[in-house]
Amino acid sequence: MTTIYYTASSLDGFIADPENSLSWLLSRDIADDGPMSYASFRPRIGAAALGATTYQWILDNDPGGWDFTMPAWVFTHRDFAPQDGITVTTDDVREVHAAMTEAAGGKDLWLMGGGDLVGQFADAGLLDEVWVQYAPVTLGGGAPLLPRRLELRLEEQGQNREFLCARYAVSPAG
Ligand SMILES: NC(=O)c1ccc[n+]([C@@H]2O[C@H](COP(=O)([O-])OP(=O)(O)OC[C@H]3O[C@@H](n4cnc5c(N)ncnc54)[C@H](OP(=O)(O)O)[C@@H]3O)[C@@H](O)[C@H]2O)c1
């Protein structure tokens, strides 16, 4: 079981622009059968975790609302409407990670973001891999990819149409 931060980023390390928009990302070309595509990643995943801003973005921007089928934990102090498959939590990441592991039944865990939440898992030694699709754009500001100092080891890289895709292992020493 691997705990993976799978996300897309600008070249200068932002996962959303200062207006919390993903327009710089969603307009771009990526192949389902190319390296590190979402289509190849998704079947590995048994449970997910995300922060409140990411969850709100999905509710506001995805026409189907929350339509992921895996169980997911949303870290927040806000009141969200009840949603099948969603557990709202303020628990410590260690407790949530244990619950995710149990729910995932041997499959991998997806940390969806944002960056600081993933950093909280990394602080607890619970982040194994970082997969990033780098879009060919700089944003100059926004939500940071992973605002921690971590040592990573490049394990795999490739081009998927417009994207530079990289898979990193978090170094045990990092
Ligand atoms: N490029 C991509 O592929 C990609 C992927 C994911 C996300 N995104 C975007 O990136 C942006 C990320 O936003 P963000 O950096 O603000 O991150 P976020 O993690 O989505 O949301 C941050 C919020 O999560 C809650 N939170 C975090 N840790 C918590 C904890 N330990 N306990 C309780 N609540 C906790 C807090 O909300 P409260 O206000 O409830 O306290 C905090 O303000 C969003 O716009 C999202 O749409 C992009």
Side-chain angles (χ1 to χ4, degrees), residues 55 59 78-84 86 88:
Y55 183 57
L59 295 180
R78 306 173 204 177
D79 288 326
F80 284 107
Q83 168 72 48
D84 283 351
I86 292 285
V88 168

Side-chain angles (χ1 to χ4, degrees), residues 49-66:
L50 62 161
T53 310
T54 301
Y55 183 57
Q56 186 66 59
W57 188 92
I58 293 168
L59 295 180
D60 292 346
N61 291 277
D62 193 323
W66 179 263

Side-chain angles (χ1 to χ4, degrees), residues 36 128-130 152-157 166-170:
M36 291 179 230
D128 299 316
E129 294 191 358
V130 179
L152 307 172
R153 191 174 61 244
L154 181 62
E155 297 281 5
E156 186 182 351
Q157 72 285 326
R167 180 170 69 84
Y168 302 90
V170 177

Side-chain angles (χ1 to χ4, degrees), residues 66-143:
W66 179 263
D67 59 3
F68 293 91
T69 52
M70 72 262 175
W73 279 256
V74 174
F75 285 81
T76 188
H77 302 92
R78 306 173 204 177
D79 288 326
F80 284 107
Q83 168 72 48
D84 283 351
I86 292 285
T87 302
V88 168
T89 187
T90 56
D91 289 346
D92 187 90
V93 293
R94 293 167 191 81
E95 291 171 36
V96 174
H97 188 270
M100 292 170 70
T101 302
E102 175 83 22
K107 290 184 140 189
D108 293 336
L109 308 185
W110 180 15
L111 305 183
M112 298 175 78
D116 183 73
L117 178 63
V118 175
Q120 295 173 49
F121 281 83
D123 294 342
L126 295 171
L127 176 64
D128 299 316
E129 294 191 358
V130 179
W131 298 31
V132 187
Q133 291 85 50
Y134 289 101
V137 62
T138 59
L139 296 173

